[in-house]
Amino acid sequence: MKKLRIAIVGCGGIANQKHMPSIKTQADKAEMVAFCDIIPERAEKAAKEYGVEGAKVYTDYNEMLADTSIEIDVVHVCTPNVAHCPITVAAFEAGKHVMCEKPMAHNTEDARKMIEAWKKSGKKFTIGYQNRLRDDTQTLHASCEAGELGEVYFAKAHALRRRAVPTWGVFPNKALQGGGPLIDIGTHALDITLWMMNNYEPKSVSGQVFYKLGRQADGPEGNVFGPWDPETFEVEDSAFGLVKMKNGATIYLEASWALNVLKSMEASTTLCGTKGGAEIHHGGSYPQDELIYNTVEHNQLMEKTISPAGVVDFFEGGAAAEAVREQEQWLNAIINDTDPLVKPEQAFVVTQILEGIYKSAETGKEVFFD
């Protein structure tokens, strides 16, 4: 079988932490043939470490896509959020499959353009929500699919860090990222929650965002990643939203990089159904992922958890197990002409809700969706 030929656009943190190491584990299916970054040294370093012999390096993705001397099947978009749309659209217009890092876009307008370009292209499209591939999320999703919780009518999406502001890249730059913890880690928690509920029809959202600790002179004290610069901290440090779905279900979303809260957890969810409930605890305060079910049995309230003896989290290649699984299912979707796990329409709704929270916070009013 001919290997899929992949181009990486954006050779910074997320490409090095997730995309390139996980692609490397799929050497029987794919190879990296092109690397593009506005900083040429980063692209050159990536090509040397992960590329095939003769892999090409670019500083302009348009030049890369127009280069007829190289064959590219798939483009991975690993850039700051505001660049997701133009690169993705250009890749589809050039006839490539696209995996775009989360979130799909920094606003709904750009996300809609990406959806339209994808539909015209006939190619595969997915967004990098790798947390769906963890053991705990896969188990809980299977429970939801089997109807074990009944109708899930209330949920919480958790993305709380006590002090873990990212101090690398462009994270505090509003012009390049579009926002802070809400769009960065809140997006993962919301994606997991919507996926569990299998409900992608929001009616309205009310939200509030805070610019408090990020701009305080003593705010950076105790930060896991070292002190940040309050003078250049342009995004919110915490955000909260209440989402009402068309069927009456409600989701509470909480996200922070810096918040005076005791427990830290992200890419986590709480589900309340008519037959039972469940909670996933993942992140800072939890060295090991927890999945806890709550039910009633024989007239007694019961809690059930996954046994740690049943979890084997072994992988090779320098990428987390869920990232490797994400890459494997994505490449298989292209090879076998099947749908990827994360569908573009689902990721669009996540972007739609996140933008709604920002708009609600700005206007002080509830935002309604069509």
mmCIF file of all heavy atoms in Angstrom, residues 38-80:
data_model
loop_
_atom_site.group_PDB
_atom_site.id
_atom_site.type_symbol
_atom_site.label_atom_id
_atom_site.label_comp_id
_atom_site.label_asym_id
_atom_site.label_seq_id
_atom_site.Cartn_x
_atom_site.Cartn_y
_atom_site.Cartn_z
ATOM 1 N N ILE A 38 6.804 29.802 9.700
ATOM 2 C CA ILE A 38 7.298 31.142 9.400
ATOM 3 C C ILE A 38 8.709 31.351 9.941
ATOM 4 O O ILE A 38 9.417 32.271 9.516
ATOM 5 C CB ILE A 38 6.353 32.228 9.945
ATOM 6 C CG1 ILE A 38 6.160 32.075 11.453
ATOM 7 C CG2 ILE A 38 5.017 32.184 9.217
ATOM 8 C CD1 ILE A 38 5.361 33.207 12.086
ATOM 9 N N ILE A 39 9.108 30.490 10.888
ATOM 10 C CA ILE A 39 10.485 30.492 11.382
ATOM 11 C C ILE A 39 11.201 29.329 10.701
ATOM 12 O O ILE A 39 10.966 28.166 11.046
ATOM 13 C CB ILE A 39 10.538 30.342 12.915
ATOM 14 C CG1 ILE A 39 9.783 31.502 13.579
ATOM 15 C CG2 ILE A 39 11.989 30.299 13.409
ATOM 16 C CD1 ILE A 39 9.662 31.379 15.080
ATOM 17 N N PRO A 40 12.046 29.565 9.725
ATOM 18 C CA PRO A 40 12.625 28.480 8.929
ATOM 19 C C PRO A 40 13.404 27.460 9.751
ATOM 20 O O PRO A 40 13.389 26.268 9.428
ATOM 21 C CB PRO A 40 13.538 29.204 7.928
ATOM 22 C CG PRO A 40 13.721 30.581 8.481
ATOM 23 C CD PRO A 40 12.492 30.885 9.252
ATOM 24 N N GLU A 41 14.041 27.908 10.823
ATOM 25 C CA GLU A 41 14.823 26.979 11.649
ATOM 26 C C GLU A 41 13.946 25.908 12.283
ATOM 27 O O GLU A 41 14.381 24.763 12.444
ATOM 28 C CB GLU A 41 15.582 27.748 12.745
ATOM 29 C CG GLU A 41 16.691 28.659 12.235
ATOM 30 C CD GLU A 41 16.174 29.976 11.677
ATOM 31 O OE1 GLU A 41 14.969 30.294 11.892
ATOM 32 O OE2 GLU A 41 16.976 30.691 11.030
ATOM 33 N N ARG A 42 12.734 26.272 12.626
ATOM 34 C CA ARG A 42 11.827 25.279 13.210
ATOM 35 C C ARG A 42 11.430 24.231 12.189
ATOM 36 O O ARG A 42 11.357 23.033 12.499
ATOM 37 C CB ARG A 42 10.583 25.963 13.785
ATOM 38 C CG ARG A 42 10.821 26.696 15.081
ATOM 39 C CD ARG A 42 9.568 26.884 15.906
ATOM 40 N NE ARG A 42 8.488 27.564 15.213
ATOM 41 C CZ ARG A 42 7.649 28.403 15.824
ATOM 42 N NH1 ARG A 42 7.790 28.661 17.121
ATOM 43 N NH2 ARG A 42 6.675 28.982 15.157
ATOM 44 N N ALA A 43 11.136 24.666 10.974
ATOM 45 C CA ALA A 43 10.775 23.727 9.915
ATOM 46 C C ALA A 43 11.957 22.827 9.565
ATOM 47 O O ALA A 43 11.794 21.623 9.340
ATOM 48 C CB ALA A 43 10.302 24.483 8.681
ATOM 49 N N GLU A 44 13.134 23.393 9.532
ATOM 50 C CA GLU A 44 14.336 22.604 9.216
ATOM 51 C C GLU A 44 14.599 21.557 10.294
ATOM 52 O O GLU A 44 14.949 20.413 9.990
ATOM 53 C CB GLU A 44 15.535 23.542 9.066
ATOM 54 C CG GLU A 44 15.463 24.419 7.823
ATOM 55 C CD GLU A 44 16.434 25.582 7.862
ATOM 56 O OE1 GLU A 44 17.168 25.709 8.882
ATOM 57 O OE2 GLU A 44 16.455 26.381 6.900
ATOM 58 N N LYS A 45 14.436 21.943 11.546
ATOM 59 C CA LYS A 45 14.629 21.009 12.653
ATOM 60 C C LYS A 45 13.614 19.868 12.584
ATOM 61 O O LYS A 45 13.956 18.688 12.765
ATOM 62 C CB LYS A 45 14.491 21.745 13.989
ATOM 63 C CG LYS A 45 14.683 20.881 15.227
ATOM 64 C CD LYS A 45 14.616 21.754 16.477
ATOM 65 C CE LYS A 45 14.809 20.923 17.747
ATOM 66 N NZ LYS A 45 13.660 20.024 17.996
ATOM 67 N N ALA A 46 12.350 20.200 12.307
ATOM 68 C CA ALA A 46 11.309 19.181 12.201
ATOM 69 C C ALA A 46 11.587 18.227 11.053
ATOM 70 O O ALA A 46 11.416 17.002 11.182
ATOM 71 C CB ALA A 46 9.946 19.853 12.018
ATOM 72 N N ALA A 47 12.027 18.756 9.923
ATOM 73 C CA ALA A 47 12.326 17.916 8.759
ATOM 74 C C ALA A 47 13.456 16.950 9.062
ATOM 75 O O ALA A 47 13.431 15.776 8.659
ATOM 76 C CB ALA A 47 12.689 18.795 7.566
ATOM 77 N N LYS A 48 14.438 17.431 9.781
ATOM 78 C CA LYS A 48 15.584 16.587 10.132
ATOM 79 C C LYS A 48 15.189 15.469 11.091
ATOM 80 O O LYS A 48 15.645 14.333 10.964
ATOM 81 C CB LYS A 48 16.680 17.449 10.754
ATOM 82 C CG LYS A 48 17.954 16.694 11.085
ATOM 83 C CD LYS A 48 19.018 17.629 11.636
ATOM 84 C CE LYS A 48 20.303 16.869 11.975
ATOM 85 N NZ LYS A 48 21.344 17.792 12.538
ATOM 86 N N GLU A 49 14.315 15.782 12.044
ATOM 87 C CA GLU A 49 13.940 14.806 13.073
ATOM 88 C C GLU A 49 12.848 13.846 12.618
ATOM 89 O O GLU A 49 12.831 12.681 13.025
ATOM 90 C CB GLU A 49 13.475 15.534 14.336
ATOM 91 C CG GLU A 49 14.584 16.293 15.049
ATOM 92 C CD GLU A 49 14.093 16.955 16.324
ATOM 93 O OE1 GLU A 49 12.953 16.647 16.766
ATOM 94 O OE2 GLU A 49 14.835 17.782 16.883
ATOM 95 N N TYR A 50 11.923 14.315 11.769
ATOM 96 C CA TYR A 50 10.747 13.499 11.450
ATOM 97 C C TYR A 50 10.529 13.239 9.963
ATOM 98 O O TYR A 50 9.725 12.371 9.614
ATOM 99 C CB TYR A 50 9.488 14.177 12.020
ATOM 100 C CG TYR A 50 9.441 14.226 13.521
ATOM 101 C CD1 TYR A 50 9.774 15.389 14.218
ATOM 102 C CD2 TYR A 50 9.079 13.102 14.260
ATOM 103 C CE1 TYR A 50 9.727 15.435 15.603
ATOM 104 C CE2 TYR A 50 9.020 13.135 15.641
ATOM 105 C CZ TYR A 50 9.351 14.308 16.317
ATOM 106 O OH TYR A 50 9.302 14.344 17.677
ATOM 107 N N GLY A 51 11.201 13.978 9.122
ATOM 108 C CA GLY A 51 10.923 13.863 7.703
ATOM 109 C C GLY A 51 11.611 12.710 7.011
ATOM 110 O O GLY A 51 12.600 12.159 7.504
ATOM 111 N N VAL A 52 11.089 12.350 5.847
ATOM 112 C CA VAL A 52 11.743 11.353 5.000
ATOM 113 C C VAL A 52 12.994 11.999 4.400
ATOM 114 O O VAL A 52 13.180 13.221 4.455
ATOM 115 C CB VAL A 52 10.808 10.886 3.859
ATOM 116 C CG1 VAL A 52 9.579 10.205 4.422
ATOM 117 C CG2 VAL A 52 10.423 12.060 2.968
ATOM 118 N N GLU A 53 13.828 11.194 3.839
ATOM 119 C CA GLU A 53 15.014 11.730 3.176
ATOM 120 C C GLU A 53 14.573 12.651 2.033
ATOM 121 O O GLU A 53 13.725 12.290 1.219
ATOM 122 C CB GLU A 53 15.875 10.594 2.627
ATOM 123 C CG GLU A 53 17.193 11.069 2.038
ATOM 124 C CD GLU A 53 18.086 9.925 1.603
ATOM 125 O OE1 GLU A 53 17.739 8.759 1.923
ATOM 126 O OE2 GLU A 53 19.108 10.188 0.950
ATOM 127 N N GLY A 54 15.118 13.838 2.016
ATOM 128 C CA GLY A 54 14.747 14.793 0.985
ATOM 129 C C GLY A 54 13.491 15.580 1.286
ATOM 130 O O GLY A 54 12.967 16.277 0.403
ATOM 131 N N ALA A 55 12.986 15.497 2.526
ATOM 132 C CA ALA A 55 11.792 16.259 2.905
ATOM 133 C C ALA A 55 12.027 17.746 2.658
ATOM 134 O O ALA A 55 13.104 18.275 2.908
ATOM 135 C CB ALA A 55 11.458 16.016 4.368
ATOM 136 N N LYS A 56 11.003 18.424 2.176
ATOM 137 C CA LYS A 56 11.147 19.828 1.796
ATOM 138 C C LYS A 56 10.688 20.755 2.919
ATOM 139 O O LYS A 56 9.806 20.410 3.723
ATOM 140 C CB LYS A 56 10.373 20.100 0.515
ATOM 141 C CG LYS A 56 10.804 19.196 -0.660
ATOM 142 C CD LYS A 56 10.318 19.697 -1.989
ATOM 143 C CE LYS A 56 11.093 20.906 -2.444
ATOM 144 N NZ LYS A 56 10.771 21.306 -3.844
ATOM 145 N N VAL A 57 11.283 21.943 2.944
ATOM 146 C CA VAL A 57 11.022 22.936 3.977
ATOM 147 C C VAL A 57 10.515 24.223 3.329
ATOM 148 O O VAL A 57 11.038 24.653 2.287
ATOM 149 C CB VAL A 57 12.309 23.208 4.786
ATOM 150 C CG1 VAL A 57 12.133 24.409 5.698
ATOM 151 C CG2 VAL A 57 12.699 21.972 5.598
ATOM 152 N N TYR A 58 9.511 24.844 3.946
ATOM 153 C CA TYR A 58 8.899 26.062 3.403
ATOM 154 C C TYR A 58 8.620 27.056 4.534
ATOM 155 O O TYR A 58 8.476 26.659 5.701
ATOM 156 C CB TYR A 58 7.565 25.744 2.709
ATOM 157 C CG TYR A 58 7.632 24.702 1.637
ATOM 158 C CD1 TYR A 58 7.558 23.339 1.955
ATOM 159 C CD2 TYR A 58 7.753 25.052 0.289
ATOM 160 C CE1 TYR A 58 7.613 22.372 0.967
ATOM 161 C CE2 TYR A 58 7.800 24.088 -0.707
ATOM 162 C CZ TYR A 58 7.733 22.748 -0.358
ATOM 163 O OH TYR A 58 7.780 21.775 -1.336
ATOM 164 N N THR A 59 8.509 28.309 4.182
ATOM 165 C CA THR A 59 8.046 29.339 5.113
ATOM 166 C C THR A 59 6.687 29.896 4.692
ATOM 167 O O THR A 59 6.088 30.682 5.417
ATOM 168 C CB THR A 59 9.055 30.503 5.198
ATOM 169 O OG1 THR A 59 9.271 31.031 3.883
ATOM 170 C CG2 THR A 59 10.372 30.034 5.803
ATOM 171 N N ASP A 60 6.182 29.461 3.539
ATOM 172 C CA ASP A 60 4.894 29.930 3.000
ATOM 173 C C ASP A 60 4.067 28.713 2.595
ATOM 174 O O ASP A 60 4.457 27.958 1.697
ATOM 175 C CB ASP A 60 5.141 30.838 1.794
ATOM 176 C CG ASP A 60 3.863 31.455 1.228
ATOM 177 O OD1 ASP A 60 2.784 30.859 1.416
ATOM 178 O OD2 ASP A 60 3.953 32.513 0.590
ATOM 179 N N TYR A 61 2.921 28.506 3.245
ATOM 180 C CA TYR A 61 2.110 27.324 2.942
ATOM 181 C C TYR A 61 1.535 27.377 1.523
ATOM 182 O O TYR A 61 1.312 26.330 0.904
ATOM 183 C CB TYR A 61 0.991 27.148 3.980
ATOM 184 C CG TYR A 61 -0.070 28.219 3.978
ATOM 185 C CD1 TYR A 61 -1.187 28.130 3.155
ATOM 186 C CD2 TYR A 61 0.034 29.315 4.833
ATOM 187 C CE1 TYR A 61 -2.165 29.099 3.175
ATOM 188 C CE2 TYR A 61 -0.942 30.299 4.858
ATOM 189 C CZ TYR A 61 -2.033 30.192 4.030
ATOM 190 O OH TYR A 61 -3.001 31.154 4.044
ATOM 191 N N ASN A 62 1.295 28.560 1.004
ATOM 192 C CA ASN A 62 0.803 28.670 -0.369
ATOM 193 C C ASN A 62 1.853 28.177 -1.366
ATOM 194 O O ASN A 62 1.531 27.494 -2.347
ATOM 195 C CB ASN A 62 0.421 30.115 -0.677
ATOM 196 C CG ASN A 62 -0.865 30.534 -0.006
ATOM 197 O OD1 ASN A 62 -1.894 29.887 -0.160
ATOM 198 N ND2 ASN A 62 -0.808 31.617 0.764
ATOM 199 N N GLU A 63 3.098 28.513 -1.095
ATOM 200 C CA GLU A 63 4.196 28.029 -1.940
ATOM 201 C C GLU A 63 4.295 26.515 -1.863
ATOM 202 O O GLU A 63 4.494 25.837 -2.879
ATOM 203 C CB GLU A 63 5.505 28.667 -1.488
ATOM 204 C CG GLU A 63 6.721 28.208 -2.298
ATOM 205 C CD GLU A 63 8.027 28.745 -1.741
ATOM 206 O OE1 GLU A 63 8.000 29.701 -0.944
ATOM 207 O OE2 GLU A 63 9.086 28.180 -2.095
ATOM 208 N N MET A 64 4.127 25.981 -0.673
ATOM 209 C CA MET A 64 4.177 24.532 -0.478
ATOM 210 C C MET A 64 3.071 23.837 -1.263
ATOM 211 O O MET A 64 3.304 22.845 -1.966
ATOM 212 C CB MET A 64 4.052 24.207 1.015
ATOM 213 C CG MET A 64 4.105 22.719 1.339
ATOM 214 S SD MET A 64 3.627 22.390 3.065
ATOM 215 C CE MET A 64 1.836 22.564 2.948
ATOM 216 N N LEU A 65 1.857 24.354 -1.169
ATOM 217 C CA LEU A 65 0.717 23.733 -1.841
ATOM 218 C C LEU A 65 0.811 23.847 -3.360
ATOM 219 O O LEU A 65 0.257 23.019 -4.081
ATOM 220 C CB LEU A 65 -0.586 24.369 -1.343
ATOM 221 C CG LEU A 65 -0.952 24.088 0.130
ATOM 222 C CD1 LEU A 65 -2.137 24.946 0.544
ATOM 223 C CD2 LEU A 65 -1.248 22.618 0.355
ATOM 224 N N ALA A 66 1.509 24.857 -3.833
ATOM 225 C CA ALA A 66 1.641 25.074 -5.278
ATOM 226 C C ALA A 66 2.840 24.352 -5.881
ATOM 227 O O ALA A 66 2.980 24.305 -7.113
ATOM 228 C CB ALA A 66 1.752 26.574 -5.565
ATOM 229 N N ASP A 67 3.682 23.775 -5.052
ATOM 230 C CA ASP A 67 4.911 23.125 -5.516
ATOM 231 C C ASP A 67 4.565 21.779 -6.175
ATOM 232 O O ASP A 67 4.191 20.825 -5.504
ATOM 233 C CB ASP A 67 5.857 22.910 -4.338
ATOM 234 C CG ASP A 67 7.240 22.450 -4.781
ATOM 235 O OD1 ASP A 67 7.407 22.071 -5.961
ATOM 236 O OD2 ASP A 67 8.161 22.453 -3.938
ATOM 237 N N THR A 68 4.713 21.704 -7.472
ATOM 238 C CA THR A 68 4.380 20.472 -8.201
ATOM 239 C C THR A 68 5.491 19.428 -8.140
ATOM 240 O O THR A 68 5.310 18.315 -8.616
ATOM 241 C CB THR A 68 4.092 20.800 -9.678
ATOM 242 O OG1 THR A 68 5.237 21.467 -10.247
ATOM 243 C CG2 THR A 68 2.870 21.692 -9.802
ATOM 244 N N SER A 69 6.614 19.788 -7.539
ATOM 245 C CA SER A 69 7.722 18.836 -7.439
ATOM 246 C C SER A 69 7.554 17.872 -6.268
ATOM 247 O O SER A 69 8.346 16.949 -6.103
ATOM 248 C CB SER A 69 9.052 19.588 -7.288
ATOM 249 O OG SER A 69 9.145 20.208 -6.008
ATOM 250 N N ILE A 70 6.513 18.079 -5.467
ATOM 251 C CA ILE A 70 6.288 17.225 -4.308
ATOM 252 C C ILE A 70 4.820 16.812 -4.258
ATOM 253 O O ILE A 70 3.922 17.592 -4.573
ATOM 254 C CB ILE A 70 6.695 17.952 -3.006
ATOM 255 C CG1 ILE A 70 6.584 17.010 -1.810
ATOM 256 C CG2 ILE A 70 5.869 19.210 -2.796
ATOM 257 C CD1 ILE A 70 7.188 17.589 -0.551
ATOM 258 N N GLU A 71 4.588 15.573 -3.889
ATOM 259 C CA GLU A 71 3.225 15.051 -3.781
ATOM 260 C C GLU A 71 2.808 15.037 -2.314
ATOM 261 O O GLU A 71 3.469 14.429 -1.482
ATOM 262 C CB GLU A 71 3.151 13.634 -4.351
ATOM 263 C CG GLU A 71 1.753 13.036 -4.320
ATOM 264 C CD GLU A 71 1.721 11.607 -4.835
ATOM 265 O OE1 GLU A 71 2.747 11.139 -5.358
ATOM 266 O OE2 GLU A 71 0.660 10.957 -4.702
ATOM 267 N N ILE A 72 1.714 15.719 -2.018
ATOM 268 C CA ILE A 72 1.177 15.791 -0.652
ATOM 269 C C ILE A 72 -0.263 15.297 -0.659
ATOM 270 O O ILE A 72 -1.075 15.727 -1.484
ATOM 271 C CB ILE A 72 1.230 17.236 -0.113
ATOM 272 C CG1 ILE A 72 2.680 17.711 0.013
ATOM 273 C CG2 ILE A 72 0.517 17.338 1.235
ATOM 274 C CD1 ILE A 72 2.804 19.183 0.321
ATOM 275 N N ASP A 73 -0.579 14.385 0.258
ATOM 276 C CA ASP A 73 -1.948 13.866 0.380
ATOM 277 C C ASP A 73 -2.714 14.530 1.518
ATOM 278 O O ASP A 73 -3.925 14.733 1.428
ATOM 279 C CB ASP A 73 -1.920 12.353 0.627
ATOM 280 C CG ASP A 73 -1.193 11.593 -0.449
ATOM 281 O OD1 ASP A 73 -1.564 11.739 -1.620
ATOM 282 O OD2 ASP A 73 -0.237 10.852 -0.124
ATOM 283 N N VAL A 74 -2.013 14.808 2.608
ATOM 284 C CA VAL A 74 -2.650 15.260 3.849
ATOM 285 C C VAL A 74 -1.896 16.458 4.401
ATOM 286 O O VAL A 74 -0.664 16.470 4.408
ATOM 287 C CB VAL A 74 -2.652 14.135 4.918
ATOM 288 C CG1 VAL A 74 -3.482 14.556 6.130
ATOM 289 C CG2 VAL A 74 -3.154 12.830 4.339
ATOM 290 N N VAL A 75 -2.636 17.440 4.894
ATOM 291 C CA VAL A 75 -2.031 18.597 5.561
ATOM 292 C C VAL A 75 -2.492 18.620 7.014
ATOM 293 O O VAL A 75 -3.697 18.516 7.294
ATOM 294 C CB VAL A 75 -2.427 19.911 4.863
ATOM 295 C CG1 VAL A 75 -1.935 21.116 5.669
ATOM 296 C CG2 VAL A 75 -1.860 19.954 3.451
ATOM 297 N N HIS A 76 -1.537 18.761 7.929
ATOM 298 C CA HIS A 76 -1.838 18.948 9.347
ATOM 299 C C HIS A 76 -1.607 20.416 9.696
ATOM 300 O O HIS A 76 -0.493 20.924 9.530
ATOM 301 C CB HIS A 76 -0.954 18.055 10.210
ATOM 302 C CG HIS A 76 -1.423 16.650 10.293
ATOM 303 N ND1 HIS A 76 -1.485 15.950 11.472
ATOM 304 C CD2 HIS A 76 -1.875 15.798 9.329
ATOM 305 C CE1 HIS A 76 -1.939 14.723 11.244
ATOM 306 N NE2 HIS A 76 -2.187 14.615 9.941
ATOM 307 N N VAL A 77 -2.661 21.086 10.174
ATOM 308 C CA VAL A 77 -2.583 22.508 10.496
ATOM 309 C C VAL A 77 -2.339 22.652 11.994
ATOM 310 O O VAL A 77 -3.215 22.357 12.810
ATOM 311 C CB VAL A 77 -3.872 23.237 10.083
ATOM 312 C CG1 VAL A 77 -3.769 24.736 10.409
ATOM 313 C CG2 VAL A 77 -4.162 23.021 8.599
ATOM 314 N N CYS A 78 -1.140 23.110 12.347
ATOM 315 C CA CYS A 78 -0.711 23.173 13.750
ATOM 316 C C CYS A 78 -0.265 24.585 14.125
ATOM 317 O O CYS A 78 0.734 24.769 14.833
ATOM 318 C CB CYS A 78 0.434 22.189 13.990
ATOM 319 S SG CYS A 78 0.109 20.498 13.442
ATOM 320 N N THR A 79 -0.980 25.568 13.658
ATOM 321 C CA THR A 79 -0.617 26.973 13.824
ATOM 322 C C THR A 79 -1.468 27.632 14.910
ATOM 323 O O THR A 79 -2.416 27.020 15.425
ATOM 324 C CB THR A 79 -0.872 27.719 12.511
ATOM 325 O OG1 THR A 79 -2.280 27.662 12.230
ATOM 326 C CG2 THR A 79 -0.093 27.103 11.365
ATOM 327 N N PRO A 80 -1.170 28.888 15.269
ATOM 328 C CA PRO A 80 -2.095 29.639 16.133
ATOM 329 C C PRO A 80 -3.501 29.666 15.541
ATOM 330 O O PRO A 80 -3.687 29.559 14.325
ATOM 331 C CB PRO A 80 -1.467 31.033 16.178
ATOM 332 C CG PRO A 80 0.002 30.777 16.014
ATOM 333 C CD PRO A 80 0.077 29.637 15.036
#
